[in-house]
Amino acid sequence: MSERSILYNLKPIGVGTKYVESLTSYIMRIAYEHNITIGCLIKKLIAPQVNKEYLLRSITYGGNRFYDGAKTINGYMENAEDLVKVVETLTSRSDLFGLTLNNLKDFIPLRNLLKEKLSWCPECVKIWQSNSIVYYPLIWHMKTVKVCIEHNCYLIEECQVCHKKVDILRRQMICGYCPNCFASLSVNANCERPEKFELTWQTFVIQNIKDILTLEKRSISSNSLSGQVISQLNLINEEYFAGNVSNFSKFLTIPKTTLRCWLSRENFPTLETLLLICFKLNKNILDLLFERKNTCGRIFQIDNPLIVDKGKKSRKPLNLVDIDKQLKELLISEPAISMSSAANQIGHDKRVLYRNFPDQCKQISARYREFVVNKSNQRIETIKEEINNAFLFLTKEGVYPSRRKMEQTVNKNGLLKEKVLQDYWKTLLTKNGFTE
């Protein structure tokens, strides 16, 4: 008889499809099936097995560090790998790496890859609730995915009942329900529909993401995928643009210096940028990854403002008398504004204004700097007063005014990380006979 698993051998949803379940969603369903909270599951079973100091300290002393950074659980960093291995051990499964972005590890950078908060399709949630199994697909966590192509609607980013954003993971959370007010996430006040081009673009994005997420790992582990992509971009530049980086960058509407960094392997495009390049080149992302010849055999530009470079705008003629009048009015306006804002209001580049009206521009800038300094000083004094009141309250209650207690009392996380405020708190400690 095979050894029994500690947790149920729960099968992940959508494996091999574009709607494969995310690891955070799987953890929620595991907790739900065992009739325990996510916090209890993490504290009693997962944290001891992961055996990382930051997680054990969070369990022992409290804090939300693990939950605040929960978006990375669906990524490919070390914490995601550790969690997959532990949950696989507890459930006796061997297919949970597919619930993360592990396949993107070798060629997609982390920047702008994952969303900070949950987004969802209320129509999907409504259907899944009627079938008794609700989950959150991995693609819903990716920044470049903004539309549900099944229901032709934008993904929602806040609860329609309490109007609060939903965290990726919390100690008490159930799939399909808002952890803030416990209302169903199937509630949809305004179902906004994307335009035709946006739907076409999102369909392309989701299909290509599905292609790379469902690749078997053994088929892509032998070579450097990032190197293959860059080689393909260099080849396209030679074949279609005669090696002219300037023309290639204009076609892609990407800065020339950025493109040069990619072609010389100094940097690598984000997932959204890479997909946009594929879209404009009329290629799938697998064509770049595996050096496939494009069956269409051509490249094209999309007639859409999101893609097409509109070209240089015609210069607005200078009316020096009118500009001089506007600058004088802005010089006495309340509150003071920056030269960048002044340039936007007037409708001319800041450099043009400085060249023709240097004195007025310098006065506006100096006035704005003084305004910012005064606002900053007012803010510091206000917060110092709050810190002093919190300090007196805690000492009166017989509680040591530690950094954490002070921040909790003032209700501002990270308050004492600011040097000037930290020094003020230390001064209060010294004056009152405390040691830090």
Side-chain angles (χ1 to χ4, degrees):
M1 182 179 293
S2 60
E3 184 179 347
R4 293 181 179 272
S5 62
I6 297 174
L7 296 174
Y8 296 146
N9 188 276
L10 193 66
K11 184 178 179 180
I13 300 173
V15 175
T17 72
K18 58 178 174 284
Y19 293 120
V20 61
E21 184 172 18
S22 63
L23 183 58
T24 49
S25 171
Y26 186 76
I27 291 173
M28 288 183 217
R29 291 202 304 118
I30 283 283
Y32 181 79
E33 291 297 327
H34 288 83
N35 199 26
I36 58 175
T37 64
I38 296 169
C40 182
L41 175 64
I42 300 294
K43 180 178 180 179
K44 300 294 185 181
L45 289 174
I46 293 179
Q49 293 269 9
V50 173
N51 196 27
K52 295 289 185 180
E53 184 179 354
Y54 80 92
L55 186 52
L56 295 175
R57 284 180 62 83
S58 178
I59 296 301
T60 304
Y61 301 108
N64 292 319
R65 180 178 173 185
F66 174 77
Y67 298 95
D68 290 342
K71 72 169 188 176
T72 59
I73 292 174
N74 297 315
Y76 56 69
M77 297 296 285
E78 184 180 354
N79 63 333
E81 294 182 5
D82 291 339
L83 208 57
V84 165
K85 291 174 183 177
V86 168
V87 178
E88 282 188 340
T89 301
L90 294 172
T91 58
S92 294
R93 297 201 67 87
S94 60
D95 54 358
L96 301 188
F97 267 106
L99 311 188
T100 69
L101 300 179
N102 190 57
N103 270 8
L104 279 63
K105 184 175 182 178
D106 296 328
F107 68 103
I108 296 295
L110 281 174
R111 65 183 186 277
N112 297 324
L113 183 58
L114 292 164
K115 297 174 183 174
E116 298 289 339
K117 300 290 183 178
L118 185 69
S119 65
W120 65 94
C121 169
E123 296 297 326
C124 287
V125 172
K126 184 176 181 179
I127 293 172
W128 294 338
Q129 282 179 338
S130 66
N131 295 331
S132 301
I133 299 180
V134 182
Y135 74 104
Y136 300 138
L138 183 58
I139 60 170
W140 285 1
H141 293 277
M142 304 180 74
K143 270 192 176 181
T144 191
V145 176
K146 299 178 176 65
V147 169
C148 173
I149 60 175
E150 305 299 325
H151 297 104
N152 188 22
C153 65
Y154 281 101
L155 300 179
I156 289 180
E157 297 181 344
E158 66 176 33
C159 173
Q160 300 298 294
V161 176
C162 67
H163 302 290
K164 292 182 179 179
K165 292 187 180 294
V166 177
D167 292 330
I168 302 296
L169 197 67
R170 275 209 193 167
R171 288 182 175 87
Q172 296 188 36
M173 195 171 183
I174 299 175
C175 285
Y177 296 89
C178 173
N180 302 301
C181 67
F182 302 103
S184 172
L185 297 183
S186 63
V187 176
N188 183 18
N190 298 304
C191 188
E192 188 178 354
R193 305 292 179 181
E195 298 291 336
K196 182 179 179 181
F197 171 79
E198 180 70 9
L199 185 61
T200 302
W201 160 244
Q202 287 289 308
T203 302
F204 177 86
V205 166
I206 291 172
Q207 181 57 48
N208 278 270
I209 290 176
K210 180 254 184 183
D211 288 343
I212 54 180
L213 289 182
T214 55
L215 280 174
E216 292 186 18
K217 193 63 180 174
R218 63 175 179 270
S219 67
I220 60 175
S221 59
S222 57
N223 298 308
S224 169
L225 294 181
S226 59
Q228 292 181 28
V229 171
I230 298 304
S231 296
Q232 280 286 81
L233 290 178
N234 275 292
L235 183 62
I236 291 167
N237 183 40
E238 292 295 330
E239 288 186 354
Y240 294 102
F241 301 95
N244 190 318
V245 177
S246 180
N247 289 341
F248 195 15
S249 69
K250 288 178 182 178
F251 172 79
L252 297 176
T253 61
I254 288 171
K256 185 166 56 176
T257 53
T258 302
L259 183 58
R260 285 189 188 279
C261 286
W262 293 345
L263 297 178
S264 61
R265 304 172 192 266
E266 294 177 20
N267 207 338
F268 199 82
T270 63
L271 177 62
E272 183 169 10
T273 305
L274 188 59
L275 289 172
L276 194 58
I277 291 171
C278 290
F279 189 54
K280 295 202 69 178
L281 294 174
N282 196 24
K283 289 177 175 285
N284 292 324
I285 197 167
L286 296 186
D287 296 335
L288 297 184
L289 293 181
F290 298 108
E291 301 181 8
R292 298 174 179 172
K293 292 293 183 181
N294 187 12
T295 54
C296 188
R298 64 183 179 87
I299 57 177
F300 64 99
Q301 284 187 306
I302 303 299
D303 185 18
N304 186 276
L306 291 177
I307 302 298
V308 175
D309 185 2
K310 295 180 180 179
K312 294 183 179 180
K313 297 180 180 178
S314 59
R315 291 185 178 181
K316 184 179 178 181
L318 285 175
N319 185 332
L320 298 181
V321 176
D322 184 54
I323 294 174
D324 182 58
K325 181 182 177 182
Q326 292 184 65
L327 287 173
K328 288 177 179 177
E329 291 175 353
L330 292 172
L331 190 53
I332 59 174
S333 64
E334 292 293 341
I337 65 171
S338 67
M339 264 310 299
S340 295
S341 298
N344 287 334
Q345 288 189 30
I346 294 173
H348 285 284
D349 189 90
K350 187 168 63 173
R351 290 172 294 182
V352 174
L353 298 179
Y354 264 102
R355 187 164 57 246
N356 290 277
F357 303 93
D359 293 337
Q360 292 97 318
C361 292
K362 289 176 182 178
Q363 291 176 44
I364 290 174
S365 295
R367 184 168 177 260
Y368 181 69
R369 282 196 299 270
E370 184 180 356
F371 169 75
V372 170
V373 169
N374 290 336
K375 290 289 289 184
S376 177
N377 291 336
Q378 290 174 14
R379 169 184 165 275
I380 292 296
E381 292 304 316
T382 301
I383 297 177
K384 279 184 177 180
E385 186 176 347
E386 293 179 3
I387 291 174
N388 189 56
N389 292 336
F391 192 94
L392 293 174
F393 172 77
L394 291 172
T395 53
K396 185 177 179 180
E397 295 292 321
V399 178
Y400 175 69
S402 66
R403 177 182 300 202
R404 177 171 292 183
K405 289 294 182 183
M406 290 288 293
E407 291 177 348
Q408 288 176 348
T409 305
V410 179
N411 195 26
K412 291 180 180 177
N413 292 331
L415 172 69
L416 297 180
K417 288 183 178 179
E418 196 168 343
K419 185 69 167 57
V420 63
L421 299 176
Q422 187 180 122
D423 290 342
Y424 181 70
W425 165 64
K426 291 179 179 178
T427 301
L428 291 177
L429 287 174
T430 303
K431 284 182 178 180
N432 290 272
F434 292 105
T435 55
E436 186 184 346

